[in-house]
Amino acid sequence: NAGVTQTPKFQVLKTGQSMTLQCAQDMNHEYMSWYRQDPGMGLRLIHYSVGAGITDQGEVPNGYNVSRSTTEDFPLRLLSAAPSQTSVYFCASSMGVRDTQYFGPGTRLTVL
Amino acid sequence: AQSVTQLGSHVSVSEGALVLLRCNYSSSVPPYLFWYVQYPNQGLQLLLKYTTGATLVKGINGFEAEFKKSETSFHLTKPSAHMSDAAEYFCAVTASGTYKYIFGTGTRLKVLA
């Protein structure tokens, strides 16, 4: 049981490049979410999903896309990277909204 | 809509002293409240949560929190700090009918020898 896995752990992009951050869970959780963590700002919700085929926006969705084709996977796409997207990104999953969220180890992204 | 405020971005306590980390929430419906801890270069892990029932909630590593509706608070306490408690602590809120978790800005706890 691997829990929540994220790849890559580190990534450096140039402004305008695109990339996908991968997230997978093997706990059969319905709820998955993406957060970004910036100093002094805590974790801010980017997008979330309540099940395969269902996604919705969080607090800071601009510049990011998601899809959920399977229960296990919830990739986050940066369409055209900007320096303001330099951050640490965490993926999390849980059975439902009132349940414990399990977090991945994070991806540290730098956009030059 | 829900929101959460953590008072004090940095808290220092001596080893063996009481730990008190403050969290106040705002919610128009009964909230679900959580405390998570983050150790350096790691993801977050759950300390404790309140959904319904008993308002005094006990968590891992000797931490507990009390849900006080009249004060809209969910403060985290531990009677005696240990060096291993040094970490960043986040309060979070959500509620039935929403799928959005809102996290506070975090409190970094330093434990002094």
Side-chain angles (χ1 to χ4, degrees):
Chain A
N1 192 335
V4 180
T5 58
Q6 291 183 239
T7 56
K9 285 194 172 182
F10 301 94
Q11 183 70 50
V12 179
L13 293 177
K14 294 181 179 178
T15 296
Q17 287 184 316
S18 63
M19 80 160 295
T20 298
L21 307 185
Q22 301 291 344
C23 174
Q25 54 92 7
D26 61 359
M27 297 173 282
N28 202 32
H29 286 167
E30 291 295 327
Y31 183 89
M32 296 186 74
S33 52
W34 276 102
Y35 298 89
R36 58 177 290 172
Q37 182 177 25
D38 302 291
M41 304 191 75
L43 278 77
R44 292 181 292 169
L45 181 65
I46 304 171
H47 286 284
Y48 64 95
S49 169
V50 299
I54 307 170
T55 64
D56 204 347
Q57 297 181 349
E59 300 174 85
V60 289
N62 292 341
Y64 307 95
N65 274 0
V66 293
S67 59
R68 184 104 178 263
S69 56
T70 67
T71 299
E72 293 77 21
D73 300 298
F74 191 44
L76 178 72
R77 297 183 192 83
L78 282 70
L79 305 175
S80 177
S84 61
Q85 293 178 305
T86 294
S87 187
V88 180
Y89 291 85
F90 287 100
C91 179
S93 75
S94 64
M95 283 301 296
V97 69
R98 69 168 69 187
D99 300 303
T100 302
Q101 287 201 85
Y102 294 87
F103 285 79
T107 295
R108 187 173 296 273
L109 175 68
T110 301
V111 183
L112 302 174
Chain B
Q2 286 75 39
S3 67
V4 64
T5 302
Q6 290 185 243
L7 296 176
S9 58
H10 291 82
V11 171
S12 293
V13 300
S14 298
E15 192 174 20
L18 172 71
V19 176
L20 171 60
L21 305 182
R22 300 179 185 275
C23 173
N24 288 90
Y25 70 91
S26 172
S27 179
S28 56
V29 296
Y32 304 142
L33 295 158
F34 305 79
W35 276 100
Y36 285 85
V37 61
Q38 184 181 33
Y39 298 103
N41 300 313
Q42 294 186 25
L44 280 70
Q45 62 186 83
L46 182 74
L47 274 178
L48 49 79
K49 65 179 178 182
Y50 169 80
T51 55
T52 59
T55 56
L56 181 62
V57 180
K58 295 187 184 298
I60 62 171
N61 301 336
F63 285 94
E64 64 181 37
E66 187 170 10
F67 170 63
K68 291 187 176 181
K69 184 178 179 180
S70 61
E71 299 178 8
T72 60
S73 69
F74 191 57
H75 301 330
L76 182 70
T77 60
K78 182 174 180 178
S80 177
H82 192 272
M83 297 298 288
S84 60
D85 295 327
E88 190 156 21
Y89 293 80
F90 293 93
C91 183
V93 64
T94 187
S96 179
T98 178
Y99 293 96
K100 295 185 180 181
Y101 282 84
I102 304 299
F103 280 82
T105 52
T107 297
R108 188 169 298 276
L109 176 66
K110 186 174 182 180
V111 182
L112 307 171

